[in-house]
Amino acid sequence: MEKKTKETKPVVSIRHAKKYFLAGRHLLRPSDYVKAVDDVSFDIMPGETVGLVGESGCGKSTLARTVIRIYEPSAGGIFYHGTDISHLSNARLRPFRAKMQMIFQDPYASLNPRYTVGEIIGEPMKITHMGGKSEREDRVQKLLQQVGLKPDHISRYPHEFSGGQRQRIGIARTLALDPDFIICDEPISALDVSIQAQIINLLEKIQDENGLSYLFIAHDLTMVRHISHKIGVMYLGHLLEFGDADEVYENPLHPYTKALISAAPVPDPEQARTRHRIKLTGEVPSPIHAPAGCPFCTRCPECRPECLLAPPVMANQNGHKVACYQYV
Amino acid sequence: MPLLEIRNLCVEFKTRGGVVKAVRGVSYSVEEGELLGVVGESGSGKSVGMLAVMGLLASNGHIASGQILFDGEDISPLAPAFAGNPKAYEEKMKGIRGNRIGMIFQDPMTFLNPVLRVGTQLTEGILCHEKCSREEAKNRAISLMKQVGIPSAEERFRQYPFEFSGGMRQRIVIASALACRPRLIIADEPTTALDVTVQAQILELLRDIAREQNTAVIMITHDLGVVAQLCERVNIMYAGQIVERGTLDEIFYDPRHPYTRGLLRSVCTHGEAGRQGLSSIPGTPPDLLKLNTGCAFMPRCAQAMKICRDYMPVPHAFSSSHCDVCWNDCREAADRVTAQESEG
């Protein structure tokens, strides 16, 4: 795995980010909050892909939306090239908006059906008054070529394309303003298996060409491992483990990561027969009434008495971080 | 005698764009207690084929030809027994659906009625198909809920679907599919809407049920990982046809059809590291309205020959259980066809 270490300053730093949503007000007792993201910190370096994995409701999408300031964090800081953008006003956020883009999960819902492909890809440039009309058109053509679409696709409408091609259109649109940080929120889970690999290859090609950083969210663990340099594992709004992709997969430390990796179905019958699977009982607790201690304590096979009292602090083992009392 | 045998099934849909042939001549059989996987991408006809078996096609679809033998009896609407008598067919299917063949659908929330208690929905099927009292049906339902691993089943029996989590809802759906001890369960992507840890629980449950009750399971999925974990035999479908079939090991370790090979290569396994770039199948799945007369996979196939465009390949068997449909595996026949063509 090749890593670019020209610049050592992170593109995006997340420091103790929290995002709570109000779930219910009460007169006599404190209000209920959904703690969607609770005290998450990590860095994303230039040219690097950070993968976020976790089950539905673990807060990975909320975290992504907080990072690009679709949501305002309840506490903590989001730094883009060292600038704290966590509480900037909409007007002051504008220059940052162009540099941080997002690829969405559903390629059917994220494209305006009444716009042609050219209008869809050109719209961000139009809004930011980038270049003249012909200049914009040239750039759209270049982007179409970069994502593997044909020049004559420019005047067609989204319904004329298949899911994979639509996702390519979405990718071209995010590239229009030349960002250096892109959030990929489950970009392949709505696509057919044979198309998923095409899109992953395209994302990697673009990353190499443009020197982009990705925050890649998915629940397909094998794909995340393939595309990511670093991986964060989330559960109930907490980051439980963070480290190099191969390190996290080969040598998972947190009991939840171990269970998650062993539960992922492997497309290999021999491995499926012989592999030891860690069985988790039960399901994720409600994020409104999360456990007071370690978020995973209700399902953890290795739970100890101290786990029930307070959430563990992140322990750092040579860059491989884990929040578990076993490693404190 | 196989439990379910499908012979040359063709399903068509009338649409504004023309007639879509969603299933084009599919034949296979399932033995008692067998776990069969049907793998294909969206539009490959894997779900439609099963809906046709159950007589649940949308109103613009119909079975154009073929036989569906369940326990040796033809249950397709085209069978001579129902000739010109759709009512008789409907009556027959009512006795089979949910009773002798159970179905599990992808999304448990749309399957369950949100305004009825879970218990009511579970006992409904039992009361409908079997002569028993409400009390007996309730006891059966509660023991089913325990069997599929729902804690405090007696209390849960009185709750509504919204009070259940996704995994628990899918367990209810499985319990209702099991209610009348069916001989065959058709599971249409039962774990796609679930998280991986819950998915592992549900797959294990399905396998245990198949083993304990000798129930056959047809697992429809696009996830090769799920197939590797659960199934004994696999059918690979593409554009309404089975392009390759074999045992689990034959398909995963000795794939022959270019589509199967491409599919297996495009999923990355745990063992491999690094970013060499995944191998992918170029192009997109075909438009079923604009198929060529030959092999449907030909436009995306790296090994395509001239003959592939105009002539449908013939099946070629590698063993008693393993066969595929590709001209590359039957060169002799291909040469014969080419020779005939140049003569005539």
Side-chain angles (χ1 to χ4, degrees):
Chain A
M1 197 174 295
E2 194 191 344
K3 244 166 276 170
K4 287 171 188 156
T5 44
K6 280 182 287 179
E7 276 178 78
T8 44
K9 280 186 185 154
V11 179
V12 171
S13 321
I14 302 156
R15 288 285 168 271
H16 305 287
K18 291 181 185 177
K19 180 66 197 169
Y20 294 175
F21 295 102
L22 188 65
R25 264 184 215 287
H26 305 288
L27 199 60
L28 297 175
R29 58 186 170 92
S31 304
D32 286 337
Y33 285 96
V34 174
K35 296 181 178 175
V37 175
D38 208 355
D39 201 0
V40 171
S41 308
F42 61 86
D43 291 339
I44 302 169
M45 293 296 176
E48 186 181 73
T49 303
V50 172
L52 272 186
V53 295
E55 298 179 272
S56 52
C58 72
K60 50 192 198 298
S61 285
T62 307
L63 176 64
R65 280 155 195 250
T66 310
V67 169
I68 55 168
R69 278 297 314 277
I70 292 176
Y71 298 142
E72 186 172 347
S74 310
I78 310 290
F79 297 87
Y80 174 78
H81 285 296
T83 316
D84 188 354
I85 59 163
S86 44
H87 301 289
L88 290 185
S89 65
N90 275 337
R92 303 187 64 184
L93 264 176
R94 280 215 144 192
F96 296 100
R97 291 260 188 244
K99 294 291 166 195
M100 306 166 91
Q101 294 283 335
M102 188 157 177
I103 300 168
F104 297 92
Q105 174 175 4
D106 187 348
Y108 294 83
S110 59
L111 302 178
N112 188 335
R114 291 170 181 276
Y115 277 20
T116 64
V117 169
E119 284 167 331
I120 289 169
I121 301 175
E123 200 189 10
M125 295 185 261
K126 211 168 153 189
I127 292 172
T128 52
H129 310 292
M130 193 172 142
K133 205 177 169 203
S134 63
E135 237 171 279
R136 288 205 291 262
E137 204 145 289
D138 287 348
R139 182 152 171 79
V140 170
Q141 285 292 3
K142 241 170 137 180
L143 289 166
L144 280 176
Q145 199 198 343
Q146 195 182 8
V147 299
L149 293 170
K150 295 196 189 99
D152 62 302
H153 285 157
I154 193 165
S155 52
R156 294 211 206 156
Y157 287 90
H159 71 89
E160 297 173 66
F161 295 90
S162 65
Q165 285 173 315
R166 282 181 212 218
Q167 204 55 294
R168 287 173 194 268
I169 297 168
I171 292 171
R173 178 178 58 186
T174 59
L175 295 176
L177 295 177
D178 202 19
D180 60 0
F181 175 61
I182 294 181
I183 287 181
C184 311
D185 190 358
E186 308 234 11
I188 54 166
S189 47
L191 304 176
D192 278 323
V193 187
S194 71
I195 307 298
Q196 290 185 352
Q198 290 179 10
I199 296 297
I200 290 289
N201 285 341
L202 175 66
L203 287 172
E204 289 184 349
K205 184 191 93 156
I206 292 167
Q207 178 166 47
D208 292 341
E209 286 170 0
N210 295 18
L212 294 170
S213 304
Y214 291 142
L215 180 61
F216 191 92
I217 300 171
H219 57 255
D220 181 343
L221 294 154
T222 47
M223 278 298 185
V224 173
R225 178 185 183 177
H226 175 84
I227 196 171
S228 305
H229 301 99
K230 293 204 178 121
I231 285 182
V233 181
M234 285 188 73
Y235 187 83
L236 260 190
H238 293 258
L239 188 67
L240 297 186
E241 187 160 355
F242 188 83
D244 280 345
D246 289 334
E247 174 68 17
V248 170
Y249 270 85
E250 302 291 339
N251 181 22
L253 297 177
H254 200 284
Y256 178 64
T257 316
K258 288 178 191 167
L260 197 64
I261 290 173
S262 84
V266 197
D268 183 338
E270 197 51 49
Q271 267 194 53
R273 276 190 286 264
T274 55
R275 197 161 64 123
H276 170 68
R277 189 170 316 122
I278 304 166
K279 275 180 215 152
L280 282 187
T281 49
E283 286 170 36
V284 189
S286 150
I288 300 176
H289 305 291
C294 170
F296 189 54
C297 68
T298 55
R299 297 170 80 193
C300 184
E302 297 162 47
C303 185
R304 305 181 198 177
E306 64 261 38
C307 300
L308 304 174
L309 299 174
V313 237
M314 224 24 157
N316 194 335
Q317 301 205 331
N318 309 324
H320 188 162
K321 295 178 195 161
V322 60
C324 178
Y325 279 109
Q326 287 180 45
Y327 305 97
V328 173
Chain B
M1 182 174 61
L3 181 62
L4 177 75
E5 189 177 358
I6 293 172
R7 289 187 190 153
N8 203 21
L9 181 71
C10 292
V11 179
E12 292 178 353
F13 287 89
K14 287 196 184 84
T15 66
R16 264 198 263 168
V19 174
V20 172
K21 291 179 178 162
V23 178
R24 305 183 297 146
V26 161
S27 308
Y28 62 90
S29 60
V30 187
E31 303 292 332
E32 221 146 315
E34 190 177 40
L35 293 157
L36 173 76
V38 178
V39 180
E41 297 178 271
S42 45
S44 62
K46 57 188 193 304
S47 294
V48 167
M50 283 301 116
L51 290 176
V53 169
M54 300 290 280
L56 294 173
L57 288 174
S59 58
N60 64 338
H62 67 281
I63 297 179
S65 64
Q67 284 178 303
I68 302 164
L69 302 172
F70 182 69
D71 241 351
E73 194 181 357
D74 192 342
I75 57 163
S76 99
L78 303 174
F82 314 121
N85 192 351
K87 260 192 188 154
Y89 171 70
E90 221 14 77
E91 276 307 308
K92 178 84 192 165
M93 288 316 291
K94 264 188 195 165
I96 289 177
R97 270 184 227 134
N99 186 19
R100 291 161 71 194
I101 306 179
M103 258 195 116
I104 302 169
F105 293 93
Q106 177 174 346
D107 185 354
M109 201 56 215
T110 46
F111 176 82
L112 295 170
N113 187 334
V115 297
L116 289 181
R117 291 177 203 277
V118 158
T120 318
Q121 302 188 48
L122 276 174
T123 48
E124 196 182 12
I126 303 172
L127 288 170
C128 175
H129 290 297
E130 283 170 40
K131 276 191 188 132
C132 65
S133 69
R134 281 187 180 278
E135 200 55 34
E136 277 167 18
K138 183 180 174 184
N139 290 338
R140 273 267 295 282
I142 288 176
S143 72
L144 279 167
M145 286 168 76
K146 284 182 182 155
Q147 192 192 344
V148 297
I150 295 172
S152 51
E154 282 87 357
E155 280 166 49
R156 292 293 218 164
F157 185 82
R158 291 188 49 78
Q159 290 186 334
Y160 290 94
F162 75 88
E163 297 174 82
F164 286 67
S165 65
M168 283 296 156
R169 270 182 221 145
Q170 196 59 291
R171 284 170 199 263
I172 294 289
V173 175
I174 293 175
S176 79
L178 290 174
C180 298
R181 299 189 191 90
R183 315 225 351 239
L184 171 69
I185 292 177
I186 298 173
D188 191 352
E189 309 239 6
T191 58
T192 313
L194 304 176
D195 286 316
V196 270
T197 54
V198 182
Q199 169 172 285
Q201 294 170 3
I202 296 289
L203 290 180
E204 198 138 318
L205 176 65
L206 274 173
R207 189 172 36 213
D208 291 347
I209 288 164
R211 280 206 191 123
E212 281 162 24
Q213 312 192 347
N214 200 28
T215 310
V217 177
I218 300 180
M219 180 82 178
I220 302 169
T221 181
H222 64 266
D223 189 335
L224 289 162
V226 167
V227 170
Q229 216 139 98
L230 186 75
C231 301
E232 294 157 356
R233 283 199 305 131
V234 186
N235 290 343
I236 306 280
M237 288 192 72
Y238 189 80
Q241 290 174 319
I242 295 177
V243 293
E244 184 163 359
R245 74 179 81 205
T247 62
L248 189 63
D249 287 10
E250 282 166 343
I251 293 289
F252 278 80
Y253 297 129
D254 187 23
R256 299 298 182 102
H257 195 279
Y259 176 66
T260 316
R261 290 185 180 179
L263 211 55
L264 280 165
R265 267 203 307 266
S266 65
V267 293
C268 50
T269 50
H270 265 312
E272 97 190 58
R275 302 175 54 166
Q276 300 97 350
L278 295 168
S279 66
S280 59
I281 306 174
T284 51
D287 182 347
L288 290 172
L289 282 169
K290 296 173 198 149
L291 286 175
N292 54 12
T293 52
C295 173
F297 187 60
M298 176 247 148
R300 303 173 75 187
C301 183
Q303 292 153 271
M305 301 179 287
K306 206 177 139 221
I307 184 176
C308 299
R309 196 186 65 223
D310 301 324
Y311 293 93
M312 201 71 90
V314 287
H316 180 85
F318 303 102
S319 74
S320 60
S321 53
H322 190 189
C323 83
D324 81 343
V325 185
C326 178
W327 282 121
N328 281 298
D329 292 313
C330 44
R331 288 290 173 103
E332 282 170 33
D335 291 342
R336 238 176 295 136
V337 172
T338 328
Q340 267 174 19
E341 194 187 33
S342 53
E343 276 169 30

